[in-house]
Amino acid sequence: MSATTKNNYKATFILDLRESEDDSAKVLADLNEILKSIGAEPSDSEDLGMREFARAADRRFTQGHYVEIYFEATSEVPATLNEKLKLDKRVNRIFTQSV
């Protein structure tokens, strides 16, 4: 029997809610559900609020809503998460790091 090793991760999301009717709490709940559906176990989440970008790539988008989620999962989950959220217009950027 092989035991699957689970690692602890922190994912930071920059949300673009300009064209969405959803608020950050709704998107945070959706992200937790997506993590559960791909095999992760979300433990804690934090809404960091609106923050200005140090360098804005788009002059019409100079600030974003930051959200952090801590979760435990196998090593394949971060790549699967990026692939799953690639077409979600509410998520601008995803940073996943091992904790």
Side-chain angles (χ1 to χ4, degrees), residues 10-84:
K10 175 177 85 168
T12 304
F13 300 91
I14 300 177
L15 306 179
D16 182 3
L17 301 177
R18 294 178 293 173
E19 297 177 5
S20 174
E21 295 180 4
D22 297 339
D23 61 344
S24 61
K26 167 77 169 106
V27 177
L28 186 59
D30 291 347
L31 291 172
N32 278 321
E33 287 301 315
I34 289 171
L35 281 167
K36 288 177 187 174
S37 72
I38 59 176
E41 299 170 15
S43 59
D44 191 22
S45 59
E46 185 176 359
D47 187 350
L48 300 174
M50 293 293 285
R51 294 195 177 178
E52 292 284 329
F53 298 142
R55 292 188 188 152
D58 182 2
R59 63 183 171 91
R60 294 180 307 266
F61 186 51
T62 60
Q63 62 183 359
H65 202 101
Y66 284 70
V67 173
E68 285 183 349
I69 300 177
Y70 293 89
F71 61 94
E72 183 179 16
T74 59
S75 61
E76 297 87 22
V77 170
T80 307
L81 178 66
N82 285 339
E83 191 65 33
K84 193 148 181 104

